[in-house]
Amino acid sequence: MTETKFRSFVKAFSWRIIASVTTAAIAFWYGVPQHAIGAVFMTDIIIKFAFYYSHERAWSNVKWGRNSK
């Protein structure tokens, strides 16, 4: 079994929203200026989305830890 690219994309996108909102909330909590929080939020989504998607696609090719049912 392997995951489709679209499934990996949706997983990466949904996780990035959750994680980036968390990052923005932490920045807000620590008093980072709001214009900087927006920049951090957008940068965080773009860069970490690409990393997470690539990570998911790489792992979809790893056979270790799978059961063949």
Side-chain angles (χ1 to χ4, degrees):
M1 273 182 2
T2 60
E3 290 192 354
T4 65
K5 290 179 182 179
F6 184 68
R7 178 180 164 90
S8 295
F9 176 85
V10 171
K11 285 173 64 179
F13 183 78
S14 64
W15 175 249
R16 279 307 344 135
I17 296 300
I18 293 166
S20 295
V21 166
T22 303
T23 298
I26 291 168
F28 179 77
W29 178 266
Y30 280 103
V32 173
Q34 289 192 7
H35 69 278
I37 292 173
V40 167
F41 180 80
M42 292 308 295
T43 304
D44 189 61
I45 283 180
I46 293 166
I47 293 172
K48 292 181 181 176
F49 174 83
F51 286 148
Y52 185 84
Y53 179 80
S54 300
H55 181 259
E56 277 289 314
R57 295 309 302 157
W59 269 100
S60 73
N61 295 316
V62 175
K63 292 182 170 104
W64 173 82
R66 289 187 178 173
N67 294 325
S68 58
K69 285 188 176 183

